[in-house]
Amino acid sequence: TFPGTPKWSKTHLTYRIVNYTPDLPREAVDAAIEKALGVWKEVTPLTFSRMDEGEADIMISFAVGEHGDFYPFDGPGAILAHAYPPGSGIHGDVHFDDDEKWTEKAAGTNLFFVAAHELGHALGLMHSANPEALMYPVYRSFKDLASFRLSQDDVDGIQFLYGSPTTPKNNYVAPTEPVPPRSKTPAKCDPALSFDAVSTLRGEILFFKDRYFWRRSHWSAEPGLHLISSFWPSLPSNLDAAYEVSSKDTVFVFKGNKFWAVRGNEVQAGYPRNIHTLGFPSTIRKIDAAISDKEQKKTYFFVEDKYWRFDEKTQSMERGFPRPIEDDFPGVEPKVDAVLEAFGFLYFFSGSSQYEFDPNAKRVTHIFKTNSWLLC
Amino acid sequence: YPVNGDREEEDSNMDLVQRYLENYYNLTKKVENIYRRRDSSPIDNKIREMQKFLGLEVTGKLDSSTLEMIRKPRCGVPDVGHFT
């Protein structure tokens, strides 16, 4: 934070776009600023509304050279923008150097990225020394705009000032404009907790939920909660499925009709790929859960009430599939969120329940709460 | 053949880093010439501070990776201290 830790004393802030750059259509500027505010809105109780005239908390403008604050811009390159910490008058304001070539794309100087950074200052964050952080002072070009996520460092910083998003607001729906549900930090001991996906990774177990995952390792009794983006910045949140092929030291993660391969903390080149390259028919839009049998080198994909089997050796879907889940995994709920193999059992996660399935006896041996793995 | 070419480039780089340290690392302007003439350690210390903050190898010297970082586009808000 800035010296003295200045922050807004209210959670609803106003902003005004005072003028526009000629580099972009007005709508593109509006969208970039709105998206940049959304980055911070998602992880705090803060809300924003736009003003078209008068003095807003955050006044956003484009300027060149000396522009009235004794911190002149310097032409193309070098300084891209600056912003002031929370407070009255010029404080909280954001200035962009209009000698830059502002773009909506990864090439050039992307307005959204710079705006998200500067708005971090306007909310009270100073520069971070963490090169992964949005608040790192040096501009980096991002290859994949869609995959942008705040780092844990940014989230920790802003939540130090304003706290986490509050539950009542998440459920609040304005009479005229619906507010999309936001991703709050999941509570591991919430009795209703469900997982998006579960996978092993080099002997650890990862439990994915929204933008986060719990990491249960041999080295720590307490599962640690991390942002997916802090390990794999280009991966999406709200995953559908994940599984490890330990012989390839690779975890495959699925969302929608795409999947990615990650090795350690590196997303492999050539991904994402389309799930239909695995042999699924075009009617399959997403995978619910997946697990790889390392002995037989087969991967099981669960989709609605059926499952498919993929041969890792021939890299092809096996004939005779899909089959109904209930035929071969009797007692398991047909809609599977995630599946994990441990201690010779398969653990099927479905909502807040977890079914321990003995593959030899072909029956469910226990039913637990989903979060039993998180020591709840 | 420019006899003083290297020296001129060195001076220009030194000016660049001094401006950078003044703008972003709270290096005091009025004593800059004293630093340059008599004692370079305050500036070396500021270079170290900057290298540490930006995740560079901490040498206290104006090496190529430090110069490259200084030339990258960035936010105008200081890394250390405040707008003055």
Side-chain angles (χ1 to χ4, degrees):
Chain A
T1 62
F2 286 95
T5 319
K7 57 179 262 190
W8 296 101
S9 55
K10 53 191 178 181
T11 56
H12 182 75
L13 300 172
T14 55
Y15 73 98
R16 183 180 151 199
I17 302 172
V18 178
N19 61 359
Y20 287 82
T21 172
D23 299 341
L24 290 168
R26 281 181 166 230
E27 310 80 66
V29 173
D30 292 346
I33 299 296
E34 197 174 327
K35 189 177 167 196
L37 287 164
V39 163
W40 299 111
K41 192 167 100 170
E42 193 179 358
V43 294
T44 63
L46 295 173
T47 55
F48 303 94
S49 61
R50 187 171 165 183
M51 291 170 62
D52 291 325
E53 53 188 22
E55 182 77 15
D57 297 315
I58 300 170
M59 299 285 274
I60 297 165
S61 57
F62 291 84
V64 295
E66 170 54 46
H67 53 279
D69 63 358
F70 304 106
Y71 290 94
F73 285 133
D74 55 356
I79 301 172
L80 305 178
H82 57 219
Y84 293 85
S88 59
I90 198 171
H91 289 96
D93 292 358
V94 175
H95 301 164
F96 296 101
D97 185 351
D98 215 357
D99 275 330
E100 310 304 333
K101 180 68 182 166
W102 296 104
T103 71
E104 296 175 86
K105 298 175 182 159
T109 308
N110 182 275
L111 180 60
F112 159 69
F113 287 134
V114 178
H117 174 103
E118 298 305 329
L119 286 164
H121 289 313
L123 298 176
L125 291 184
M126 210 176 163
H127 281 151
S128 168
N130 183 335
E132 300 296 317
L134 173 65
M135 294 314 293
Y136 189 70
V138 179
Y139 181 80
R140 291 156 296 165
S141 56
F142 291 76
K143 286 177 188 162
D144 185 3
L145 291 170
S147 65
F148 170 80
R149 295 284 183 283
L150 285 178
S151 75
Q152 189 66 51
D153 188 62
D154 299 308
V155 174
D156 290 346
I158 202 72
Q159 290 188 344
F160 170 76
L161 291 175
Y162 299 103
S164 305
T166 49
T167 309
K169 199 174 69 176
N170 292 342
N171 298 333
Y172 173 74
V173 177
T176 52
E177 187 182 346
V179 177
R182 69 181 55 185
S183 168
K184 60 175 182 168
T185 310
K188 66 175 186 170
C189 291
D190 178 352
L193 180 72
S194 61
F195 293 134
D196 296 333
V198 177
S199 177
T200 52
L201 170 60
R202 295 178 177 172
E204 300 185 9
I205 309 174
L206 311 182
F207 300 89
F208 294 92
K209 179 69 177 174
D210 301 336
R211 306 168 62 215
Y212 300 87
F213 69 94
W214 282 280
R215 178 182 182 191
R216 189 170 160 176
S217 74
H218 302 299
W219 318 113
S220 170
E222 186 68 21
L225 182 66
H226 307 270
L227 274 170
I228 295 173
S229 60
S230 65
F231 277 60
W232 306 285
S234 63
L235 285 191
S237 51
N238 299 89
L239 299 178
D240 290 332
Y243 69 93
E244 181 183 33
V245 178
S246 48
S247 60
K248 293 180 179 172
D249 185 25
T250 300
V251 171
F252 294 92
V253 299
F254 292 73
K255 175 154 184 180
N257 62 2
K258 293 192 174 67
F259 72 103
W260 291 255
V262 302
R263 186 171 292 170
N265 62 351
E266 286 182 359
V267 177
Q268 300 300 288
Y271 290 87
R273 291 186 191 164
N274 194 297
I275 59 171
H276 301 119
T277 60
L278 295 170
F280 289 107
S282 58
T283 50
I284 301 297
R285 303 281 178 83
K286 67 187 273 288
I287 308 297
D288 292 333
I291 182 78
S292 188
D293 181 336
K294 60 186 170 192
E295 304 296 330
Q296 295 185 26
K297 301 201 183 312
K298 311 274 188 194
T299 296
Y300 295 74
F301 291 106
F302 297 84
V303 182
E304 296 178 348
D305 59 349
K306 298 188 176 63
Y307 78 100
W308 307 67
R309 202 165 71 187
F310 183 81
D311 189 321
E312 292 288 344
K313 283 184 283 192
T314 61
Q315 287 290 294
S316 60
M317 209 61 85
E318 291 192 344
R319 286 186 180 179
F321 292 89
R323 289 175 55 81
I325 293 173
E326 63 180 358
D327 284 7
D328 298 325
F329 303 96
V332 171
E333 283 286 317
K335 176 75 173 67
V336 178
D337 294 331
V339 60
L340 171 71
E341 188 273 325
F343 319 119
F345 293 95
L346 289 171
Y347 294 87
F348 289 90
F349 298 87
S350 180
S352 59
S353 298
Q354 177 191 169
Y355 299 81
E356 183 188 72
F357 185 84
D358 182 339
N360 298 316
K362 291 262 181 197
R363 67 182 184 90
V364 170
T365 47
H366 288 97
I367 300 176
F368 304 106
K369 292 297 287 180
T370 280
N371 53 9
S372 68
W373 289 89
L374 303 179
L375 310 180
C376 288
Chain B
Y1 189 76
V3 177
N4 292 325
D6 287 351
R7 178 66 182 273
E8 280 168 14
E9 191 184 338
E10 203 175 292
D11 280 354
S12 153
N13 288 341
M14 206 59 196
D15 287 344
L16 182 71
V17 75
Q18 285 205 190
R19 278 201 305 278
Y20 197 90
L21 296 173
E22 284 163 14
N23 288 342
Y24 307 120
Y25 287 85
N26 216 12
L27 178 70
T28 313
K29 256 181 190 171
K30 62 185 175 186
V31 290
E32 79 178 50
N33 290 331
I34 297 172
Y35 293 157
R36 289 185 68 177
R37 280 205 311 269
R38 295 179 186 171
D39 178 11
S40 64
S41 64
I43 239 178
D44 292 349
N45 288 339
K46 279 289 175 190
I47 291 175
R48 271 192 202 95
E49 191 179 354
M50 173 224 163
Q51 288 170 329
K52 188 177 176 195
F53 190 91
L54 296 177
L56 299 166
E57 190 188 353
V58 180
T59 62
K61 304 291 171 208
L62 194 53
D63 48 41
S64 58
S65 54
T66 305
L67 264 174
E68 190 186 339
M69 184 65 96
I70 284 173
R71 290 187 173 123
K72 284 186 178 175
R74 58 161 291 151
C75 170
V77 173
D79 299 342
V80 170
H82 211 321
F83 280 131
T84 53

